Amino acid sequence: YNDCGDGGDYYKQKYAINADADASGQWVISEFAQSSLSGPYLYASKLVEYLGRPAYLYREDFLRFATNDSPDGAQQWNVYYVAEGYGGAGVVPGLAVAADRLAVSYCYDHSSIAGTGCDLRLAVSEPGGPPDAWTISSVFAEPDEARMDYGRFSCLTVLGGRLAVACISYPVDDYSFAGELRFAINEELDGSGEWRRYLIERSDGGVLTGWNPSLAEVDGRPAIAYARQDWSEDWPSALKFAVNTKSDGSGYWNRFTLDSEHWVEHPSLAVVGGRPAIAYDRWSRQHGVDGMLVYGECSQADGTGIWNWQVFDFRPDTALRPSLCVLADGRPAIAYFDRINEWLLLAVRDY
């Protein structure tokens, strides 16, 4: 996680691991990167287990990986550059483990060149070794007739033994936004096969569809939780959920609107007890309440049932960027940021 709230002069990347599987024990914290407050901002991404050890993707001036020499993260952190670097402020890359390889989806920004935009690219490391050599391919490249941004926000995962990615796209020159949610799946686990690409939802100008996509395998099929935000009116927004009828994403995408009464940010999708679950930020300026943590589960394994919601944390400004996962004992856990107190919090279901 990113820590810049201790009164120092640096952004810091830190790693925390609990002594117990249910997160009830002591947290051990280590630091492996820092940047001056006047220098490049450290954008955090995702933590995965790679070859039995923690691996972490983050961005400073370039896209970087940090891996530890021990399974508990207690030894030295080794930092590597990823592929061809990284462009565009505020971009969120995707990260997945594909067997014995690391895979990264990222935005390659060449929009400063006249007539160009941003491509979504994939970098895959060599098998079994440190992530210091990468094979690069293009997932979504802008068409010649339009300056398009692909992959400013992307989510990468493995679905049925194949790499898959969800991302948002929109015209570079239209920042009133006309957003699209896109999905692509490769025929191979290492991303070396053909990409099959799909447009899931398109919006008109002023509407940003596909914001902060979260991709997961639900009942053996690709599913995406995402936000739809309309900048043309007074804070309209929606939490949306899409699930395909086929395992490879080639079928029909069933789309559901789960929350249209609040401003929605950063949905995080996971499977809890065999059913899809989502955690997200809920904002409501009209009611004077900002940034509550909301969690919901679907009644059906395929995501087509009734969603049951509960507010985990009612305090204002305490639910930024939630990250949902499942503990070893099957309970859902959510890490999130308390902006008021500048705390990193963890919520675990108590049962």
Side-chain angles (χ1 to χ4, degrees), residues 242-274:
V243 60
N244 201 270
T245 56
K246 294 186 177 181
S247 61
D248 63 355
S250 63
Y252 178 76
W253 285 92
N254 291 303
R255 301 196 304 271
F256 306 89
T257 299
L258 305 182
D259 183 348
S260 59
E261 298 180 359
H262 304 88
W263 186 261
V264 173
E265 294 271 12
H266 309 114
S268 182
L269 174 66
V271 176
V272 178

Side-chain angles (χ1 to χ4, degrees), residues 8-349:
D9 297 325
Y10 297 93
Y11 299 110
K12 299 175 182 179
Q13 290 288 5
K14 294 184 176 181
Y15 170 78
I17 186 169
N18 200 277
D20 296 327
D22 64 357
S24 62
Q26 181 178 356
W27 288 93
V28 178
I29 299 173
S30 59
E31 177 185 323
F32 56 87
Q34 65 179 20
S35 175
S36 169
L37 293 178
S38 60
Y41 188 83
L42 291 174
Y43 288 93
S45 181
K46 186 178 180 183
L47 178 72
V48 296
E49 182 178 321
Y50 174 60
L51 302 178
R53 297 172 296 170
Y56 184 76
L57 178 68
Y58 68 101
R59 175 201 166 204
E60 192 178 354
D61 48 350
F62 292 92
L63 196 60
R64 304 174 188 235
F65 251 112
T67 61
N68 201 273
D69 288 337
S70 69
D72 62 358
Q75 297 184 24
Q76 177 179 334
W77 286 92
N78 306 297
V79 177
Y80 305 89
Y81 290 99
V82 176
E84 54 200 347
Y86 196 66
V91 226
V92 177
L95 172 63
V97 176
D100 56 353
R101 302 170 188 254
L102 284 166
V104 183
S105 61
Y106 63 100
C107 171
Y108 182 73
D109 188 353
H110 45 86
S111 57
S112 60
I113 303 174
T116 62
C118 299
D119 297 342
L120 177 66
R121 296 189 177 182
L122 177 77
V124 180
S125 69
E126 294 299 314
D132 56 0
W134 300 85
T135 300
I136 301 169
S137 60
S138 178
V139 183
F140 287 105
E142 59 147 7
D144 295 336
E145 67 273 12
R147 297 183 66 199
M148 292 293 293
D149 254 353
Y150 293 102
R152 292 283 178 178
F153 297 88
S154 67
C155 185
L156 182 70
T157 192
V158 175
L159 298 175
R162 291 167 290 189
L163 275 177
V165 62
C167 74
I168 185 174
S169 66
Y170 50 82
V172 174
D173 298 318
D174 182 12
Y175 284 98
S176 61
F177 295 123
E180 301 169 336
L181 176 64
R182 295 181 178 268
F183 170 80
I185 188 167
N186 199 277
E187 293 183 342
E188 302 294 338
L189 177 59
D190 63 0
S192 62
E194 180 183 353
W195 285 98
R196 300 185 181 275
R197 303 170 178 89
Y198 303 94
L199 174 63
I200 300 174
E201 183 173 342
R202 172 179 285 145
S203 57
D204 298 325
V207 179
L208 188 60
T209 292
W211 190 255
N212 297 125
S214 182
L215 173 66
E217 185 172 337
V218 170
D219 197 31
R221 296 166 297 147
I224 307 170
Y226 58 102
R228 181 183 185 274
Q229 297 176 350
D230 189 342
W231 298 87
S232 64
E233 300 179 19
D234 183 24
W235 277 66
S237 178
L239 171 66
K240 305 200 74 175
F241 174 75
V243 60
N244 201 270
T245 56
K246 294 186 177 181
S247 61
D248 63 355
S250 63
Y252 178 76
W253 285 92
N254 291 303
R255 301 196 304 271
F256 306 89
T257 299
L258 305 182
D259 183 348
S260 59
E261 298 180 359
H262 304 88
W263 186 261
V264 173
E265 294 271 12
H266 309 114
S268 182
L269 174 66
V271 176
V272 178
R275 299 175 298 173
I278 299 173
Y280 69 99
D281 307 14
R282 172 185 287 180
W283 298 74
S284 179
R285 279 190 174 177
Q286 293 91 335
H287 299 93
V289 178
D290 289 346
M292 294 189 297
L293 175 62
V294 181
Y295 171 80
E297 294 180 5
C298 187
S299 60
Q300 299 293 328
D302 63 0
T304 61
I306 298 173
W307 286 80
N308 301 299
W309 301 99
Q310 63 182 119
V311 178
F312 265 38
D313 196 330
F314 288 90
R315 297 172 300 148
D317 277 353
T318 57
L320 296 182
R321 300 185 181 275
S323 178
L324 173 64
C325 72
V326 180
L327 300 181
D329 60 7
R331 291 185 295 164
I334 308 170
Y336 60 104
F337 178 56
D338 178 341
R339 189 173 67 179
I340 297 298
N341 297 296
E342 295 185 343
W343 292 339
L344 177 63
L345 301 177
L346 180 70
V348 180
R349 176 178 285 171

